Amino acid sequence: MIDNGIPIDVAVIGAGPSGLAAAIALKQAGVGRVAVLEREPQAGGIPRHCNHPPYGLREFGRILKGPEYAARLVASARNAGVEIHVSITVTSIHGDGLLRLSTPEGVFEITPRRVIYATGVRETPRSARLISGARVQGVVNTGALQSMIYLKHRRPFRRPVIIGTELVAFSALMTCQSAGVRPIAMIEADAIATARWPSAIYPRMRGVELLTNTRLVEIEGDTVVQAVTVANTDGQTRRIECDGVILTGSFTPEVALARCGHLDVDPATGGPVVDQWGRCSDPAYFATGNVLRPVETAGRSWAEGRQTGAWVAQDLAGKLPSHDAKPLRILLGDARIKYAMPQVIYPSKGAGGMSEIQMRVRERVSGTLIARMQGRPVWQRRLNTRPERRIAVPIGEIISQAAADCVEFTIE
Amino acid sequence: MPNPQPKSSRQSKNMLSDDLFDVVVIGAGVVGCAVARRFVLEGAKVAIVEKASDILDGASKANSAILHTGFDAPQGSLELECIRQGFREYEDIRSELGLVQQKSGAFVVAWTPEQMDALAGIEAQAHENGIVDAHFVDAKSLKAAEPNLSANAMGAVNVPQESIIDPWSAPYVYLHQALENGAEVFLSCHITGGDFDGHVWDLWSGNGTLRSRAVINCAGLYGDILDRDVLGQAQFQIIPRKGQFVVFDKAACGLVSSVILPVPTEKTKGVVLFGTVFGNLVVGPTAEDQQSRTDATTDEVSLNALIAEGVDKLPALAQMPVTAVYAGLRPATERKEYRIEAAQDKNWITVGGIRSTGLSAALGIARHVFGLYEKFGAEHQPIAKPVTPQANVLAQTGARDWQRGGHGEIVCHCELVTRREIEAALVGPLAARSLGGLKRQTRAMMGRCQGFYCAAQVAELTDGKFAQAMSERFAHD
C-alpha cells in the first residue's frame, strides 16, 4: 500500500524509462522512500509495447526488444528498493507537492517532499492536426497501434497508409508487419525522410511506397477509412484506397497535469518550464525524460532520469542553488527554432545540472546559431541541420558570459 | 416473399412487437427521447424507433451543449414557448434525474460599433421574452467579468441564466425514464413505409412491422423524407446546415467563465465560445448549408478560421492545444421557425425544423406535442409515481465514477473513464453498439490523446459489442 503511514520522500509520476531511472538513482543516493506512480496496469512505459529492437544498449550493454527492456528496467528498480505502484492515477497536482490520486480502491492524497514528473510524450492525434475529412474509425497513432498489436493481439486494419517519417514511423511499419498488416505508402511532407538513412530506404525494401513532398489532405469513409487524398507540392492530388491511417510522430509532452495544475508550461516544448536541474516553476516539482521536450530515445530518457534522480537527491540535501534567485531566461528570436530546453538557467557554477541546452528546428536550416545578451553576441556556431536533429549548446559557455537576465538565440 | 395475406391477419406478419402502441416515436434524437418520456409519463403506451444502432446519432450527436433561456428567440414564436417551457422543466427535473446544469451565464458581446448599436434591441427582446434579468454591461464591467477577452470587446448584454449542460446524458436519461416506465425501444430499425387504416398505423421496417394508433415524426435530418414516404406528403424540405467546432484543452476552460455569444445575424447565432461541463472550451459552430444529410466532415480551412476567430476574441487561446474537432448537422428547413404540425386525420404529428435549439427546447416541445396529440381524442391516466433513473455523471464538477472505489481501473486517462463505466454502457436496452455511442455515454477516447493511450484497451473491452469492430484478433506466433 502506498498509504502505509511512512512519509514519501520522492514520488515519481510515470514508470517509463526516465521515471524508473530517476527512482533508481534516488535510492542509490540513499533517499528513503521513493514511490513510482504508474496509471497503467504494468510499469515500463512505452517500450512495453514496442516489440522490436533496439533497446538497452546504453543501460544493459545489449540489444533488447522493448518489452524485455521494460521488464529489466522494472526489475532493476525493484532491486534498488524502489516502490512501484501501478493502476494509480494522479488526478491533479498542487502546490508544495500535494498529489491527488485515484486507485481502484478509491481516492486519496499524498504530499511527498519532492515530485518527479516523468509522464513522457504522445503523438499528436488526428484532431489536433486538423486533418480534413470524415471522422471515421481506423485513424490511429503509432502508440495505439502498438498497444493493439503487441499487447492485445488485435489489428485495427489491413492496408493503412503511414503519415510521417520520424523514427517512430519505421517502428509503426515494423509493428504492422509483425501482424500481417501491409501498409500501402509512407507519406512525408518534406523532400526527404526525417529519420536518418538507412531508414529512408527501408520502406522500399519492405515494398512500401515512400511519397515525399506529399501531404495528407483528406480522409474519406463512412464509418471506417475507405481512402485518403494526398497532394504533392505541385498541388497534384492522388486518391489512395486504404482502410486505415497511422499518424506517426509530431510528439507532444503529456503535460495535462502541469497545464491544468499550477506549473508553468512552455508553449515551445509543450513541456513544463524547467531550469538546468529539471526543476519546475514550483521547486517541489522536477521533470525528466520526454515530458521535457519531444522527443528522445528511451536510452537518452533513461540517462536523463539517472541525472535528475541525482539532482533531486542533492536538492533534498539542500545542495541545489536557491530557486528564488534570478535566473537567465532563454529566448527564441527566430521562428525556425522550435524550442530550447531548459528554459531558464541559474548562473551558478559547480552545482551540476544539464550540461547542454537542447534545441531543435522546425525546418531545414543552414546558417549560424548565435546567442546574444543585450544585443551582444556571446556564443555562436555553424548550424546545418534538419527537423528532429539534436542541437546542443553548452550551458557552461553561456553561463560564463552571463551579464544579463536573458539570452536570445537567432539563426543568421 | 411470402404470399400476400389479408391485412387483418397479424399472425402472418413479421411483427417487431405484438403490442398495439398508443404512440410510436420515430427518431431517438434529443427531441424523440424527450417526446417518448413525456408520452410515457402521461400514461401512453409508447415505442421509440431509431434507424441507427445508437440513439443521438443524427443532429443530436453534435451541438453546443447550451441550455438557452430563449432570450433571443423570435417573440411570440412556438420556438420561444418551447425553449421557455423546456428550460423550466429541465430545472424542475434536474435533481431527481441527476442532471447537471451550470448556470454559467452568457454575454452577447459587441465587437464593432454597429453591434454595439444592436445590443439595446437584444436587451429589449430578452425582456419581452420574459428574461427580465438580462442587462447591458459596458466594456469595463465585461472586462471585470471576463478578463481574458480581447480588449476589442465594446460591451455586452449579460444573460445570467444561460446554462451549460451535458448534451448526451440528458437525453439518455429522458429515454431511460421512458423505458423504465414502460416504453419499448427498437434500435437499428428503419421505418421505410406504412399504412393507416383510419384507426391504426402499420409501420414497416426491414425488421418487421409495428402497430400504433398515432405516430410522432422526430426524424430530424430525415423528417421530410419520413413524411413523404410514410405520411405521403411533406410540408417542408430539410436543408442540412453543417456546424464545425474546435474543442480546446481543458486548461483553456478557465479562460472564460460565461458563454460568449456574438451578435446574431439573420441566418445564424454565429460563432460561440463556450465552456463545457466536461471542462473543455469550444469554439464554433460554422454554418454551412449543404445537400448531404450524412456529410459531417471537418475541413482544415474552416477549423483554422474558427481557431483564428477564437484567438481574436480570446488571445490566450493561441497557446492552447486542440483536443478534438467535430461537426454536426442541424436539420434546418427553408424557413427559420419550428415546423411542428399535426395531420389530424392521420393521427400523425411531425416535429420538424428543430434547427439549433433542440437541446434547450426538447422537454417543452414534448409537452407541446402531447397537447396536439390530445386533440386526436386520446385519453390516458398519467403515471402516479414514475420511476426516476439517474443520469450518468460525466460533468467534471459532479461525483464521477473514478472517485468511488471498485471501478476496476481507469481506462481512459484523459477523461478519467473507468472500466465499470464502460462495462455499464455496453449492457442494457441502450447498450452502445458503436464507438460513437460509447463515447457519448462515457466520454472514453474523447480527451486530449484521442485514444493514443486507451484505444487498445477500449478495443478489447468492446470486443463483439459493436456493429463495426474497432479491431480484429489475429493469431500471434
Side-chain angles (χ1 to χ4, degrees):
Chain A
M1 276 296 291
I2 187 164
D3 198 10
N4 64 2
I6 301 166
I8 296 169
D9 292 292
V10 182
V12 181
I13 310 176
S18 66
L20 291 172
I24 294 168
L26 283 159
K27 288 306 293 181
Q28 288 172 345
V31 174
R33 198 171 170 212
V34 179
V36 180
L37 314 176
E38 171 56 51
R39 64 189 188 179
E40 295 290 337
Q42 294 90 28
I46 295 285
R48 279 178 310 128
H49 52 69
C50 294
N51 194 21
H52 51 70
Y55 283 94
L57 201 55
R58 180 192 303 255
E59 303 86 332
F60 303 115
R62 54 188 294 181
I63 292 175
L64 302 169
K65 288 182 172 183
E68 298 160 2
Y69 168 77
R72 281 193 178 223
L73 286 183
V74 172
S76 306
R78 291 225 161 92
N79 289 340
V82 172
E83 292 174 30
I84 301 175
H85 302 273
V86 296
S87 297
I88 189 163
T89 301
V90 180
T91 55
S92 61
I93 63 171
H94 303 271
D96 299 322
L98 169 66
L99 304 179
R100 297 225 158 92
L101 310 174
S102 171
T103 73
E105 289 76 47
V107 293
F108 57 99
E109 298 179 355
I110 57 171
T111 309
R113 293 168 69 200
R114 296 290 183 275
V115 178
I116 298 180
Y117 194 29
T119 48
V121 277
R122 58 176 168 79
E123 295 160 292
T124 303
R126 183 253 172 98
S127 54
R129 299 177 192 228
L130 308 182
I131 296 166
S132 300
R135 288 159 305 113
V136 286
Q137 278 174 237
V139 183
V140 301
N141 287 124
T142 315
L145 176 77
Q146 291 184 329
S147 309
M148 281 192 198
I149 288 180
Y150 290 133
L151 298 183
K152 306 292 186 189
H153 308 312
R154 305 183 153 272
R155 61 187 160 214
F157 37 57
R158 294 297 196 89
R159 295 284 279 154
V161 293
I162 299 176
I163 309 300
T165 57
E166 291 178 43
L167 210 48
V168 65
F170 300 92
S171 177
L173 181 51
M174 283 190 269
T175 304
C176 284
Q177 289 180 328
S178 78
V181 174
R182 296 179 53 229
I184 293 170
M186 286 182 92
I187 292 159
E188 170 56 49
D190 204 349
I192 44 175
T194 308
R196 285 179 195 277
W197 194 91
S199 301
I201 59 167
Y202 183 76
R204 287 197 185 94
M205 279 162 46
R206 294 289 182 148
V208 178
E209 193 179 3
L210 176 63
L211 300 173
T212 52
N213 282 322
T214 300
R215 63 182 218 109
L216 172 63
V217 292
E218 190 176 353
I219 296 172
E220 267 178 62
D222 182 12
T223 47
V224 296
V225 177
Q226 286 162 346
V228 295
T229 301
V230 297
N232 67 16
T233 39
D234 301 328
Q236 289 167 321
T237 61
R238 173 177 160 192
R239 186 171 176 276
I240 303 172
E241 285 190 16
C242 57
D243 64 356
V245 179
I246 307 171
L247 298 171
T248 70
S250 293
F251 284 94
T252 183
E254 173 55 33
V255 77
L257 288 170
R259 210 185 271 285
C260 293
H262 65 300
L263 301 182
D264 291 347
V265 173
D266 176 15
T269 56
V273 171
V274 293
D275 63 20
Q276 68 261 51
W277 299 282
R279 192 166 52 176
C280 300
S281 55
D282 173 347
Y285 289 81
F286 286 69
T288 192
N290 275 330
V291 77
L292 291 169
R293 47 72 267 268
V295 56
E296 273 299 350
T297 60
R300 289 235 176 192
S301 297
W302 176 84
E304 283 180 332
R306 298 276 308 159
Q307 291 186 313
T308 308
W311 298 328
V312 172
Q314 267 181 288
D315 188 42
L316 287 169
K319 289 181 184 161
L320 283 197
S322 165
H323 186 259
D324 301 329
K326 204 168 170 57
L328 183 68
R329 286 180 304 128
I330 294 167
L331 306 179
L332 306 181
D334 192 306
R336 290 173 293 177
I337 305 176
K338 188 177 171 191
Y339 65 71
M341 191 288 297
Q343 294 81 2
V344 297
I345 302 172
Y346 288 89
S348 72
K349 299 185 179 71
M354 299 175 202
S355 57
E356 292 161 343
I357 301 170
Q358 300 180 23
M359 285 190 188
R360 291 206 188 166
V361 291
R362 292 179 198 283
E363 56 191 75
R364 273 181 280 167
V365 163
S366 185
T368 303
L369 179 65
I370 302 177
R372 283 193 175 83
M373 289 184 194
Q374 293 173 321
R376 186 176 59 86
V378 296
W379 179 91
Q380 65 181 55
R381 199 183 77 194
R382 279 292 302 161
L383 193 65
N384 192 359
T385 191
R386 293 165 45 189
E388 301 310 319
R389 296 285 191 269
R390 297 179 184 110
I391 304 166
V393 176
I395 285 182
E397 293 180 29
I398 302 295
I399 290 178
S400 66
Q401 300 286 322
D405 62 359
C406 60
V407 55
E408 184 174 54
F409 285 88
T410 55
I411 301 170
E412 283 159 29
Chain B
M1 286 288 289
N3 292 328
Q5 296 287 326
K7 244 181 215 170
S8 56
S9 171
R10 281 183 45 197
Q11 286 73 17
S12 68
K13 285 187 191 164
N14 171 21
M15 298 299 294
L16 263 175
S17 165
D18 286 333
D19 293 342
L20 171 62
F21 294 97
D22 293 320
V23 170
V24 167
V25 178
I26 302 175
V30 61
V31 173
C33 292
V35 167
R37 170 181 171 272
R38 171 52 44 205
F39 277 71
V40 166
L41 295 181
E42 299 290 350
K45 185 170 175 53
V46 175
I48 181 167
V49 299
E50 166 58 50
K51 72 181 170 65
S53 65
D54 289 77
I55 70 168
L56 312 179
D57 201 60
S60 301
K61 75 176 159 196
N63 57 56
S64 304
I66 299 170
L67 189 71
H68 291 290
T69 55
F71 77 93
D72 59 351
Q75 220 189 330
S77 66
L78 176 60
E79 182 179 7
L80 174 60
E81 183 193 318
C82 291
I83 294 174
R84 298 286 287 147
Q85 177 60 42
F87 191 95
R88 275 196 297 273
E89 185 167 347
Y90 189 91
E91 294 204 307
D92 287 346
I93 65 174
R94 152 188 100 188
S95 55
E96 69 182 28
L97 296 181
L99 289 168
V100 63
Q101 178 186 11
Q102 283 180 36
K103 280 198 184 171
S104 58
F107 287 101
V108 185
V109 178
W111 302 91
T112 65
E114 296 74 43
Q115 291 172 357
M116 246 340 238
D117 292 343
L119 290 185
I122 290 170
E123 186 186 21
Q125 188 185 8
H127 292 170
E128 283 167 12
N129 286 358
I131 291 80
V132 292
D133 58 354
H135 60 282
F136 173 79
V137 294
D138 61 13
K140 197 173 154 208
S141 307
L142 179 59
K143 182 91 185 159
E146 295 292 354
N148 295 312
L149 279 191
S150 145
N152 299 329
M154 300 178 74
V157 171
N158 180 223
V159 190
Q161 304 291 313
E162 291 274 297
S163 303
I164 56 176
I165 64 174
D166 178 340
W168 302 299
S169 292
Y172 262 99
V173 82
Y174 301 163
L175 188 51
H176 270 299
Q177 190 173 29
L179 298 179
E180 294 195 18
N181 288 286
E184 286 190 60
V185 62
F186 300 95
L187 298 170
S188 302
C189 180
H190 185 184
I191 302 295
T192 50
D195 182 57
F196 183 61
D197 67 5
H199 303 280
V200 171
W201 274 98
D202 273 11
L203 296 169
W204 308 324
S205 81
N207 325 35
T209 299
L210 280 175
R211 286 161 52 82
S212 179
R213 295 192 174 92
V215 177
I216 318 292
N217 171 0
C218 297
L221 288 159
Y222 298 87
D224 55 344
I225 294 176
L226 185 72
D227 269 9
R228 192 191 63 210
D229 290 355
V230 186
L231 183 63
Q233 57 185 18
Q235 305 285 344
F236 58 86
Q237 189 197 345
I238 294 290
I239 303 162
R241 184 171 300 157
K242 182 162 79 179
Q244 302 186 45
F245 297 81
V246 177
V247 183
F248 286 87
D249 192 272
K250 293 192 182 215
C253 193
L255 295 176
V256 287
S257 55
S258 316
V259 174
I260 306 299
L261 298 162
V263 172
T265 65
E266 190 48 36
K267 187 177 165 195
T268 164
K269 282 176 181 284
V271 173
V272 185
L273 272 75
F274 56 98
T276 71
V277 296
F278 316 115
N280 294 101
L281 185 88
V282 183
V283 179
T286 58
E288 307 160 51
D289 286 344
Q290 63 183 35
Q291 290 299 312
S292 170
R293 297 167 199 252
T294 55
D295 175 1
T297 54
T298 55
D299 71 274
E300 194 180 347
V301 173
S302 302
L303 297 172
N304 273 318
L306 283 176
I307 292 170
E309 182 161 355
V311 170
D312 205 34
K313 292 176 174 175
L314 196 61
L317 265 190
Q319 305 296 348
M320 290 295 169
V322 170
T323 286
V325 301
Y326 65 96
L329 301 177
R330 287 100 102 185
T333 69
E334 61 280 71
R335 296 217 300 267
K336 206 176 164 181
E337 69 266 25
Y338 285 3
R339 312 294 283 274
I340 304 180
E341 281 152 38
Q344 193 80 25
D345 55 333
K346 294 277 188 80
N347 288 359
W348 179 287
I349 299 170
T350 301
V351 185
I354 313 300
R355 185 174 34 90
S356 67
T357 47
L359 182 65
S360 306
L363 296 167
I365 291 169
R367 281 185 185 271
H368 175 75
V369 170
F370 188 75
L372 295 177
Y373 165 81
E374 283 184 307
K375 292 182 188 149
F376 294 165
E379 280 182 28
H380 303 291
Q381 192 62 39
I383 298 179
K385 222 174 153 15
V387 180
T388 53
Q390 292 295 297
N392 288 345
V393 179
L394 298 175
Q396 68 165 8
T397 50
R400 293 280 311 273
D401 196 54
W402 62 264
Q403 292 162 311
R404 290 191 296 275
H407 58 60
E409 64 182 310
I410 291 175
V411 174
C412 166
H413 299 293
C414 300
E415 296 295 312
L416 299 173
V417 182
T418 67
R419 195 171 72 212
R420 180 167 60 191
E421 286 177 294
I422 290 173
E423 286 168 351
L426 295 171
V427 296
L430 301 180
R433 293 274 296 139
S434 66
L435 182 56
L438 182 72
K439 287 178 171 183
R440 292 191 288 276
Q441 288 199 54
T442 65
R443 295 196 58 71
M445 292 175 64
M446 290 182 94
R448 52 176 69 79
C449 90
Q450 296 278 299
F452 177 91
Y453 294 111
C454 73
Q457 175 74 340
V458 174
E460 187 174 66
L461 289 172
T462 58
D463 194 21
K465 305 286 187 183
F466 291 165
Q468 177 65 56
M470 290 175 68
S471 63
E472 57 171 5
R473 272 194 76 84
F474 63 89
H476 205 67
D477 46 65

